[in-house]
Short mmCIF file of all heavy atoms in Angstrom, two decimals:
data_model
loop_
_atom_site.label_atom_id
_atom_site.label_comp_id
_atom_site.label_asym_id
_atom_site.label_seq_id
_atom_site.Cartn_x
_atom_site.Cartn_y
_atom_site.Cartn_z
N LYS A 1 -5.41 12.44 -4.75
CA LYS A 1 -5.99 11.16 -5.18
C LYS A 1 -6.19 10.33 -3.94
O LYS A 1 -5.29 10.21 -3.12
CB LYS A 1 -5.05 10.46 -6.18
CG LYS A 1 -5.63 9.22 -6.79
CD LYS A 1 -6.64 9.57 -7.84
CE LYS A 1 -7.15 8.34 -8.54
NZ LYS A 1 -7.99 8.65 -9.65
N THR A 2 -7.35 9.74 -3.80
CA THR A 2 -7.65 8.87 -2.64
C THR A 2 -7.55 7.43 -3.04
O THR A 2 -8.10 7.02 -4.07
CB THR A 2 -9.03 9.19 -2.06
OG1 THR A 2 -9.08 10.58 -1.68
CG2 THR A 2 -9.33 8.34 -0.85
N PHE A 3 -6.85 6.63 -2.21
CA PHE A 3 -6.72 5.20 -2.43
C PHE A 3 -7.15 4.46 -1.17
O PHE A 3 -6.81 4.87 -0.06
CB PHE A 3 -5.25 4.81 -2.72
CG PHE A 3 -4.75 5.33 -4.04
CD1 PHE A 3 -3.91 6.43 -4.08
CD2 PHE A 3 -5.07 4.71 -5.23
CE1 PHE A 3 -3.43 6.90 -5.25
CE2 PHE A 3 -4.59 5.20 -6.44
CZ PHE A 3 -3.76 6.27 -6.44
N ARG A 4 -7.89 3.39 -1.37
CA ARG A 4 -8.26 2.51 -0.26
C ARG A 4 -7.15 1.50 -0.07
O ARG A 4 -6.66 0.90 -1.04
CB ARG A 4 -9.59 1.79 -0.50
CG ARG A 4 -9.95 0.82 0.62
CD ARG A 4 -11.33 0.24 0.45
NE ARG A 4 -12.37 1.25 0.36
CZ ARG A 4 -12.88 1.90 1.40
NH1 ARG A 4 -12.46 1.65 2.63
NH2 ARG A 4 -13.84 2.79 1.26
N ILE A 5 -6.71 1.33 1.16
CA ILE A 5 -5.73 0.33 1.50
C ILE A 5 -6.43 -1.04 1.48
O ILE A 5 -7.42 -1.25 2.14
CB ILE A 5 -5.07 0.57 2.87
CG1 ILE A 5 -4.37 1.93 2.88
CG2 ILE A 5 -4.13 -0.57 3.23
CD1 ILE A 5 -3.30 2.11 1.85
N ARG A 6 -5.89 -1.94 0.69
CA ARG A 6 -6.48 -3.28 0.56
C ARG A 6 -5.65 -4.27 1.35
O ARG A 6 -4.51 -4.01 1.73
CB ARG A 6 -6.49 -3.67 -0.94
CG ARG A 6 -7.32 -2.71 -1.76
CD ARG A 6 -7.54 -3.19 -3.15
NE ARG A 6 -8.36 -2.26 -3.92
CZ ARG A 6 -9.69 -2.14 -3.86
NH1 ARG A 6 -10.35 -2.97 -3.07
NH2 ARG A 6 -10.35 -1.28 -4.58
N HIS A 7 -6.28 -5.44 1.55
CA HIS A 7 -5.59 -6.50 2.31
C HIS A 7 -4.21 -6.83 1.69
O HIS A 7 -3.22 -7.02 2.39
CB HIS A 7 -6.47 -7.74 2.36
CG HIS A 7 -5.82 -8.90 3.00
ND1 HIS A 7 -5.57 -9.00 4.36
CD2 HIS A 7 -5.33 -10.06 2.45
CE1 HIS A 7 -4.99 -10.11 4.63
NE2 HIS A 7 -4.82 -10.80 3.49
N GLY A 8 -4.16 -6.83 0.39
CA GLY A 8 -2.86 -7.14 -0.30
C GLY A 8 -1.79 -6.12 -0.10
O GLY A 8 -0.61 -6.41 -0.41
N HIS A 9 -2.12 -4.91 0.38
CA HIS A 9 -1.14 -3.91 0.67
C HIS A 9 -0.43 -4.15 2.04
O HIS A 9 0.59 -3.58 2.31
CB HIS A 9 -1.75 -2.51 0.74
CG HIS A 9 -2.23 -2.00 -0.58
ND1 HIS A 9 -3.56 -1.57 -0.76
CD2 HIS A 9 -1.61 -1.85 -1.75
CE1 HIS A 9 -3.67 -1.15 -2.01
NE2 HIS A 9 -2.52 -1.34 -2.64
N THR A 10 -1.04 -5.01 2.86
CA THR A 10 -0.54 -5.14 4.25
C THR A 10 0.32 -6.38 4.44
O THR A 10 0.31 -7.31 3.66
CB THR A 10 -1.73 -5.20 5.22
OG1 THR A 10 -2.51 -6.36 4.96
CG2 THR A 10 -2.61 -3.95 5.13
N ASP A 11 1.12 -6.29 5.48
CA ASP A 11 2.00 -7.41 5.88
C ASP A 11 1.35 -8.22 7.00
O ASP A 11 0.24 -7.89 7.46
CB ASP A 11 3.39 -6.88 6.24
CG ASP A 11 3.37 -5.95 7.47
OD1 ASP A 11 2.38 -5.95 8.23
OD2 ASP A 11 4.36 -5.26 7.66
N PRO A 12 2.01 -9.26 7.51
CA PRO A 12 1.42 -10.06 8.59
C PRO A 12 1.09 -9.30 9.89
O PRO A 12 0.29 -9.69 10.65
CB PRO A 12 2.45 -11.17 8.86
CG PRO A 12 3.13 -11.30 7.55
CD PRO A 12 3.22 -9.91 6.98
N ALA A 13 1.75 -8.11 10.05
CA ALA A 13 1.46 -7.32 11.22
C ALA A 13 0.18 -6.47 11.03
O ALA A 13 -0.26 -5.76 11.95
CB ALA A 13 2.65 -6.37 11.53
N GLY A 14 -0.37 -6.49 9.80
CA GLY A 14 -1.61 -5.77 9.53
C GLY A 14 -1.42 -4.32 9.11
O GLY A 14 -2.37 -3.59 8.99
N ILE A 15 -0.16 -3.89 8.88
CA ILE A 15 0.09 -2.54 8.42
C ILE A 15 0.60 -2.59 6.98
O ILE A 15 1.04 -3.63 6.49
CB ILE A 15 1.11 -1.80 9.32
CG1 ILE A 15 2.46 -2.52 9.34
CG2 ILE A 15 0.57 -1.68 10.73
CD1 ILE A 15 3.55 -1.79 10.09
N VAL A 16 0.53 -1.46 6.28
CA VAL A 16 0.98 -1.41 4.88
C VAL A 16 2.47 -1.75 4.86
O VAL A 16 3.26 -1.15 5.55
CB VAL A 16 0.72 -0.05 4.26
CG1 VAL A 16 1.30 0.05 2.87
CG2 VAL A 16 -0.78 0.23 4.23
N PHE A 17 2.78 -2.73 4.03
CA PHE A 17 4.17 -3.11 3.79
C PHE A 17 4.81 -2.00 2.96
O PHE A 17 4.26 -1.61 1.92
CB PHE A 17 4.17 -4.46 3.04
CG PHE A 17 5.53 -5.07 2.79
CD1 PHE A 17 6.53 -5.08 3.76
CD2 PHE A 17 5.79 -5.65 1.56
CE1 PHE A 17 7.76 -5.63 3.51
CE2 PHE A 17 7.02 -6.21 1.31
CZ PHE A 17 8.03 -6.22 2.27
N TYR A 18 5.95 -1.49 3.42
CA TYR A 18 6.46 -0.23 2.86
C TYR A 18 6.62 -0.22 1.33
O TYR A 18 6.35 0.80 0.70
CB TYR A 18 7.78 0.16 3.52
CG TYR A 18 8.99 -0.59 3.08
CD1 TYR A 18 9.77 -0.11 2.03
CD2 TYR A 18 9.32 -1.80 3.65
CE1 TYR A 18 10.89 -0.79 1.59
CE2 TYR A 18 10.42 -2.49 3.21
CZ TYR A 18 11.20 -2.01 2.19
OH TYR A 18 12.26 -2.70 1.75
N PRO A 19 6.98 -1.33 0.63
CA PRO A 19 7.06 -1.24 -0.84
C PRO A 19 5.71 -0.93 -1.49
O PRO A 19 5.64 -0.35 -2.56
CB PRO A 19 7.56 -2.61 -1.28
CG PRO A 19 8.22 -3.21 -0.07
CD PRO A 19 7.46 -2.64 1.10
N ARG A 20 4.63 -1.27 -0.82
CA ARG A 20 3.30 -1.01 -1.38
C ARG A 20 3.03 0.50 -1.44
O ARG A 20 2.28 0.99 -2.27
CB ARG A 20 2.18 -1.69 -0.58
CG ARG A 20 2.33 -3.17 -0.52
CD ARG A 20 2.18 -3.83 -1.88
NE ARG A 20 2.45 -5.25 -1.77
CZ ARG A 20 3.45 -5.87 -2.36
NH1 ARG A 20 4.33 -5.22 -3.09
NH2 ARG A 20 3.64 -7.16 -2.20
N HIS A 21 3.65 1.26 -0.52
CA HIS A 21 3.55 2.72 -0.56
C HIS A 21 4.12 3.22 -1.88
O HIS A 21 3.55 4.14 -2.51
CB HIS A 21 4.27 3.39 0.57
CG HIS A 21 3.59 3.28 1.89
ND1 HIS A 21 2.40 3.94 2.18
CD2 HIS A 21 3.90 2.59 3.01
CE1 HIS A 21 2.04 3.67 3.41
NE2 HIS A 21 2.92 2.86 3.95
N TYR A 22 5.19 2.61 -2.36
CA TYR A 22 5.78 3.06 -3.63
C TYR A 22 4.88 2.74 -4.80
O TYR A 22 4.83 3.50 -5.77
CB TYR A 22 7.17 2.46 -3.80
CG TYR A 22 8.13 3.05 -2.82
CD1 TYR A 22 8.74 2.27 -1.84
CD2 TYR A 22 8.50 4.38 -2.88
CE1 TYR A 22 9.62 2.81 -0.92
CE2 TYR A 22 9.38 4.95 -1.97
CZ TYR A 22 9.94 4.16 -0.98
OH TYR A 22 10.82 4.70 -0.08
N GLU A 23 4.12 1.65 -4.74
CA GLU A 23 3.13 1.37 -5.76
C GLU A 23 2.06 2.42 -5.79
O GLU A 23 1.61 2.87 -6.88
CB GLU A 23 2.52 0.00 -5.56
CG GLU A 23 3.48 -1.16 -5.76
CD GLU A 23 2.93 -2.50 -5.35
OE1 GLU A 23 1.80 -2.57 -4.82
OE2 GLU A 23 3.62 -3.51 -5.55
N LEU A 24 1.64 2.87 -4.61
CA LEU A 24 0.58 3.92 -4.51
C LEU A 24 1.15 5.28 -4.97
O LEU A 24 0.44 6.07 -5.62
CB LEU A 24 0.02 3.98 -3.10
CG LEU A 24 -0.77 2.72 -2.68
CD1 LEU A 24 -1.02 2.73 -1.19
CD2 LEU A 24 -2.03 2.61 -3.48
N ILE A 25 2.41 5.55 -4.65
CA ILE A 25 3.05 6.77 -5.13
C ILE A 25 3.12 6.73 -6.66
O ILE A 25 2.79 7.72 -7.34
CB ILE A 25 4.44 6.96 -4.53
CG1 ILE A 25 4.32 7.33 -3.01
CG2 ILE A 25 5.24 7.99 -5.28
CD1 ILE A 25 5.63 7.29 -2.24
N SER A 26 3.50 5.60 -7.23
CA SER A 26 3.61 5.46 -8.67
C SER A 26 2.21 5.65 -9.30
O SER A 26 2.08 6.30 -10.35
CB SER A 26 4.15 4.08 -9.02
OG SER A 26 4.25 3.96 -10.43
N ALA A 27 1.17 5.08 -8.71
CA ALA A 27 -0.19 5.25 -9.20
C ALA A 27 -0.63 6.71 -9.14
O ALA A 27 -1.30 7.21 -10.04
CB ALA A 27 -1.15 4.35 -8.41
N THR A 28 -0.20 7.42 -8.08
CA THR A 28 -0.54 8.85 -7.97
C THR A 28 0.08 9.61 -9.12
O THR A 28 -0.54 10.47 -9.74
CB THR A 28 -0.03 9.39 -6.61
OG1 THR A 28 -0.66 8.66 -5.54
CG2 THR A 28 -0.32 10.87 -6.46
#
């Protein structure tokens, strides 16, 4: 499954904030 990383997935450093990975895993 392909997911686009959205602005809301990222932290102030501009990278995916690690809990958002778990949301994407759950969606998968």
Side-chain angles (χ1 to χ4, degrees):
K1 186 75 177 188
T2 301
F3 293 102
R4 178 173 302 281
I5 300 301
R6 300 190 179 278
H7 174 71
H9 292 126
T10 62
D11 62 17
I15 61 174
V16 174
F17 183 44
Y18 78 93
R20 301 296 175 245
H21 285 291
Y22 291 114
E23 292 171 356
L24 294 168
I25 288 169
S26 182
T28 300

